[in-house]
């Protein structure tokens, strides 16, 4: 809530950020606990940056983007964390006579006076977006010791566990419970995909995987390992805390703030104790469409036609962690219509998809991929998704389904698209069946994307141009960029990931080549002649468009020799 909302609304209307109609609609939509500013932010009529810039101009302060600011850690330590949280301030630096402090509402004179009394320095105030200040309060001062009200205000909601033990009820004040809860919150806020809890010789190492790269974030005494492992096992509700000699798997359904998450938990006994990996599955990632996956318009148009075929098999290939499941889910979301029956067979079911029948493989009771497939074919589906083709039995049923009028999506572990043909043959599938059933093969990798907050113009070196087979003539009109590193991207220069792809369409000419048992290099040569771009070539397009860097494309396409 801003101190002088009416005055701020007048300023926003005067500078053209909002119109009188916008304000009228916001006042009409406002609920009891909301302000008009809240509604404008919620509907996107104004942004936090709009508010901060407007307030900065009106109060004669400088505007500071905290994602770009270099914050002096010694100055942060000099300010009491409770005071920083209470007044929502960020100390930035100290120049020997004045401390530079960011505030979100320079019109709140009572707060500014109170800050002057609690910080024993001469202060110079600057104005920054409220969202940035709240994020930095958690990042710089942590979330330990926050009351429930403070946590909610800073966007650090408590953890509610829907299976197993509740995250904040009985025993919720125990140090280990708070430690695990804080770790989950921090990992989620950092957009980590995995949390690694690893016992070393003298300590427990905590690492988060962010955008595919591991980052060490903490070390704890080794004596805490047993309690941490037990706490996480209890949260799953299915894992045994008494069994430490064999690997175990479990699952936690949790709510962090207002986000519903699934956590897949895996333990493995090591020489120093049990190692735990928790994979964070954010259901909001299911809302991705094909453009958000990284397809350019031409590949997207081709892929859109493929996923709407009436029958056949479409294979998505790549190593573990290359985004195959996300691509398949995006395909299913794209074609999920009331007149289509879609059934999936997965191990495990990573996300629950609305309107789609999902079957969990349970090999310990005989519910294998093949057994599930035999049963679901009697359910008369139009579209089938198989998590992975692993053996001849699963492959045979998938091919028979595709040849009897079903569209089948599945994955394989191969390095490139043409190599999937040889992989299917190695499994034991006859070449003529591969030629008859497979409609297209898509290979993919994930590359890190340049952080938009610190992106800057860059150049491709001669060595990089040679590695990518780039010609100087291709550089005309290119928008090559790199991330210089900022607080938002943890000084990596990257934030987020998207795919690079090669799409191998199986036409009549290729079908004859498969039947004639031609080699993978020959199939690859023909695919190139027919217009298939390699993974590296698709990556180059994204480098020239300023989406990723040459180093990143070279890193993930080392095996691409074309």
């Amino acid at each position: 809530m801003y101190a002088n909302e009416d005055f701020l609304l007048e300023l926003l209307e005067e500078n053209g950020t909002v119109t009188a109609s916008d304000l009228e609609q916001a006042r009409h939509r406002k609920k009891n606990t909301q302000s008009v500013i809240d509604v404008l932010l919620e509907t996107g009529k104004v942004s936090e940056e709009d508010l901060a810039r407007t307030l900065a101009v009106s109060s004669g302060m400088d505007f500071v983007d905290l994602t770009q600011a270099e914050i002096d850690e010694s100055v942060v330590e000099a300010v009491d964390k409770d005071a920083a949280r209470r007044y929502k301030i960020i100390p930035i630096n100290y120049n020997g006579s004045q401390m530079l402090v960011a505030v979100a509402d320079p019109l709140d004179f009572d707060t500014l006076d109170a800050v002057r009394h609690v910080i024993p320095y001469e202060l110079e105030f600057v104005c920054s977006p409220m969202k940035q200040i709240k994020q930095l309060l958690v990042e710089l001062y942590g979330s330990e010791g926050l009351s429930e009200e403070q946590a909610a205000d800073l966007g650090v909601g408590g953890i509610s566990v829907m299976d197993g033990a509740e995250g904040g009820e009985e025993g919720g004040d125990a140090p280990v419970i708070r430690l695990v809860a804080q770790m989950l919150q921090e990992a989620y806020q950092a957009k980590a995909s995995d949390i690694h809890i690893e016992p070393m010789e003298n300590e427990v190492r905590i690492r988060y995987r962010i955008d595919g790269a591991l980052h060490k974030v903490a070390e704890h005494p080794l004596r805490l390992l047993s309690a941490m492992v037990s706490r996480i096992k209890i949260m799953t509700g299915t894992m045994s805390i008494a069994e430490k000699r064999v690997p175990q798997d479990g699952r936690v359904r949790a709510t962090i703030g207002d986000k519903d998450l699934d956590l897949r938990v895996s333990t493995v006994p090591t020489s120093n104790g049990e190692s735990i990996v928790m994979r964070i599955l954010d259901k909001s990632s299911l809302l991705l469409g094909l453009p958000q996956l990284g397809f350019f318009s031409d590949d997207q148009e081709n892929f859109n036609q493929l996923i709407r075929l009436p029958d056949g098999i479409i294979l998505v290939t790549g190593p573990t962690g290359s985004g195959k499941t996300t691509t398949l889910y995006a395909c299913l979301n794209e074609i999920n219509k009331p007149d289509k029956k879609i059934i999936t067979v997965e191990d495990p079911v990573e996300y629950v998809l609305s309107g789609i029948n999902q079957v969990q493989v349970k090999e310990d009771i005989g519910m294998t991929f093949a057994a599930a497939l035999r049963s679901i074919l009697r359910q008369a589906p139009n579209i089938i998704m198989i998590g992975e083709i692993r053996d001849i039995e699963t492959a045979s049923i998938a091919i028979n389904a595709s040849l009897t009028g079903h569209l089948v999506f599945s994955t394989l572990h191969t390095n490139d698209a043409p190599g999937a043909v040889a992989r299917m043959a190695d499994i034991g599938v006859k070449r003529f069946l591969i030629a008859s059933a497979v409609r297209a093969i898509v290979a993919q990798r994930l590359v890190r994307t340049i952080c938009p907050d610190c992106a800057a113009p860059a150049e491709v070196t001669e060595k990089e141009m040679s590695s990518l087979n780039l010609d100087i003539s291709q550089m005309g009109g290119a928008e090559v960029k790199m991330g210089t590193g900022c607080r938002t991207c943890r000084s990596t220069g990257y934030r987020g990931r998207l795919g690079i792809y090669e799409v191998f369409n199986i036409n009549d000419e290729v079908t004859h080549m498969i039947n004639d048992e031609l080699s993978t290099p020959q199939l690859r040569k023909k695919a190139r002649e027919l217009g298939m771009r390699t993974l590296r070539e698709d990556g180059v397009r994204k480098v020239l468009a300023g989406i990723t860097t040459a180093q990143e494309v070279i890193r993930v396409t080392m095996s691409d020799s074309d």
Side-chain angles (χ1 to χ4, degrees):
M1 186 75 177
Y2 288 85
N4 195 335
E5 183 179 82
D6 290 339
F7 179 59
L8 177 54
L9 292 174
E10 288 179 15
L11 292 174
L12 291 170
E13 186 176 2
E14 284 177 9
N15 66 21
T17 304
V18 296
T19 64
S21 175
D22 292 332
L23 295 177
E24 184 179 349
Q25 290 176 17
R27 291 188 176 100
H28 180 72
R29 293 184 56 169
K30 183 172 77 74
K31 298 175 184 177
N32 292 335
T33 58
Q34 282 186 311
S35 68
V36 176
I37 294 291
D38 291 334
V39 178
L40 292 172
L41 288 168
E42 185 181 280
T43 56
K45 296 296 183 182
V46 299
S47 66
E48 299 268 8
E49 186 174 327
D50 292 332
L51 294 178
R53 289 187 181 278
T54 299
L55 285 166
V57 170
S58 69
S59 58
M61 288 184 185
D62 289 334
F63 169 85
V64 172
D65 182 347
L66 292 176
T67 64
Q68 305 294 323
E70 293 187 10
I71 295 178
D72 187 338
E73 291 186 10
S74 64
V75 175
V76 172
E77 293 172 0
V79 175
D80 179 69
K81 67 179 179 181
D82 291 329
R85 291 166 175 171
R86 184 184 311 119
Y87 299 116
K88 295 187 180 64
I89 58 172
I90 296 295
I92 298 175
N93 58 49
Y94 183 66
N95 63 11
S97 60
Q98 281 187 327
M99 181 182 288
L100 193 66
V101 176
V103 297
D105 187 359
L107 301 180
D108 187 352
F109 302 114
D110 290 340
T111 293
L112 299 188
D113 287 340
V115 172
R116 289 189 178 97
H117 280 94
V118 298
I119 299 180
Y121 298 93
E122 184 180 345
L123 303 181
E124 179 185 351
F125 291 107
V126 294
C127 191
S128 298
M130 177 71 82
K131 185 176 181 180
Q132 292 182 7
I133 289 177
K134 288 182 176 181
Q135 288 175 339
L136 272 179
L137 283 172
V138 176
E139 184 178 329
L140 297 174
Y141 293 105
S143 56
E144 188 175 354
L146 288 175
S147 68
E148 194 171 315
E149 185 178 351
Q150 286 176 318
D153 186 38
L154 294 178
V156 186
I159 294 182
S160 171
V161 180
M162 288 167 269
D163 292 327
E166 286 297 327
E169 297 189 357
E170 185 176 349
D173 289 333
V176 170
I177 292 178
R178 292 202 306 270
L179 176 62
V180 172
Q182 183 178 349
M183 182 171 57
L184 292 174
Q185 289 170 338
E186 289 176 350
Y188 173 70
Q189 288 168 346
K191 301 188 184 303
S193 60
D194 305 276
I195 301 171
H196 294 250
I197 303 173
E198 303 164 313
M200 301 288 104
E201 186 175 357
N202 299 309
E203 70 278 332
V204 180
R205 182 175 65 184
I206 308 297
R207 295 194 291 175
Y208 301 158
R209 188 180 297 278
I210 303 171
D211 295 334
L214 281 169
H215 299 266
K216 178 181 171 182
V217 294
E219 287 182 350
H220 298 296
L222 192 59
R223 57 184 168 78
L224 292 180
L225 176 66
S226 179
M228 292 172 69
V229 172
S230 295
R231 171 58 187 162
I232 293 167
K233 286 182 176 179
I234 289 170
M235 288 170 65
T236 69
T238 59
M239 299 171 73
S240 171
I241 62 173
E243 182 57 76
K244 303 177 185 295
R245 300 165 300 173
V246 297
Q248 295 187 64
D249 294 300
R251 192 167 195 155
V252 180
R253 292 173 56 222
T255 299
I256 299 179
D258 60 351
K259 289 286 187 178
D260 291 333
L261 304 176
D262 281 342
L263 308 174
R264 275 172 45 193
V265 182
S266 171
T267 68
V268 172
T270 72
S271 58
N272 295 314
E274 287 184 278
S275 173
I276 288 189
V277 175
M278 290 187 285
R279 186 175 183 193
I280 303 172
L281 304 173
D282 183 0
K283 295 180 180 179
S284 64
S285 65
L286 291 179
L287 302 176
L288 291 178
L290 295 182
Q292 287 74 43
L293 294 179
F295 284 106
F296 277 153
S297 57
D298 50 354
D299 281 336
Q300 184 184 333
E301 183 179 353
N302 179 24
F303 200 60
N304 261 317
Q305 294 174 355
L306 291 171
I307 65 176
R308 286 171 170 79
L309 291 172
D311 54 34
I313 296 179
I314 296 175
L315 292 172
V316 180
T317 74
T320 300
S322 60
K324 300 187 297 295
T325 301
T326 300
T327 297
L328 289 180
Y329 279 170
C331 292
L332 295 184
N333 277 330
E334 190 78 17
I335 59 180
N336 183 16
K337 300 291 185 289
D339 62 337
K340 301 287 186 184
K341 178 160 185 173
I342 303 175
I343 301 181
T344 73
V345 184
E346 304 173 65
D347 183 23
V349 173
E350 293 195 4
Y351 300 99
V352 177
L353 300 172
S354 177
I356 293 176
N357 303 278
Q358 294 173 270
V359 178
Q360 169 73 56
V361 168
K362 296 180 180 178
E363 296 198 358
D364 54 336
I365 61 171
M367 187 66 160
T368 62
F369 274 105
L373 278 171
R374 283 193 295 269
S375 298
I376 68 172
L377 286 175
R378 293 192 287 272
Q379 296 281 311
N382 302 102
I383 299 162
I384 300 169
M385 187 193 97
I386 306 168
E388 182 184 349
I389 293 179
R390 300 178 177 178
D391 51 48
I392 181 60
E393 190 175 9
T394 304
S396 297
I397 297 172
I399 285 175
N400 288 334
S402 71
L403 294 176
T404 54
H406 303 84
L407 180 60
V408 179
F409 293 93
S410 191
T411 70
L412 272 178
H413 288 282
T414 62
N415 287 329
D416 63 0
V421 174
R423 174 64 182 144
M424 291 278 282
D426 288 342
I427 289 174
V429 182
K430 302 295 184 184
R431 289 269 182 162
F432 77 90
L433 290 174
I434 301 172
S436 301
V438 179
R439 297 286 180 267
I441 305 166
V442 180
Q444 69 176 73
R445 299 289 188 277
L446 291 177
V447 293
R448 293 180 292 175
T449 53
I450 297 167
C451 174
D453 289 339
C454 61
E459 294 182 356
V460 181
T461 66
E462 289 186 13
K463 185 176 179 180
E464 289 168 346
M465 291 183 69
S466 175
S467 297
L468 296 174
N469 293 325
L470 257 175
D471 187 88
I472 192 67
S473 62
Q474 296 175 263
M475 300 301 293
E479 299 181 5
V480 179
K481 296 179 182 178
M482 66 173 290
T484 57
C486 65
R487 187 171 298 276
T488 305
C489 64
R490 304 171 71 93
S491 299
T492 63
Y494 298 100
R495 193 172 74 193
R497 290 188 294 174
L498 52 69
I500 56 174
Y501 302 90
E502 59 182 32
V503 183
F504 183 19
N505 290 297
I506 310 297
N507 63 9
D508 290 341
E509 194 173 355
V510 175
T511 297
H512 289 307
M513 295 178 70
I514 295 173
N515 277 324
D516 292 340
E517 300 188 7
L518 294 183
S519 67
T520 296
Q522 289 172 304
L523 288 175
R524 187 171 182 80
K525 182 180 178 182
K526 175 54 66 176
R528 298 293 307 283
E529 291 174 2
L530 294 173
M532 182 190 82
R533 270 183 295 269
T534 67
L535 290 165
R536 180 161 288 188
E537 287 170 342
D538 191 43
V540 166
R541 293 204 299 170
K542 293 177 170 72
V543 171
L544 299 181
I547 297 171
T548 189
T549 63
Q551 302 99 302
E552 185 69 4
V553 172
I554 292 169
R555 180 183 69 84
V556 301
T557 60
M558 290 294 290
S559 61
D560 192 344
S561 59
D562 288 332

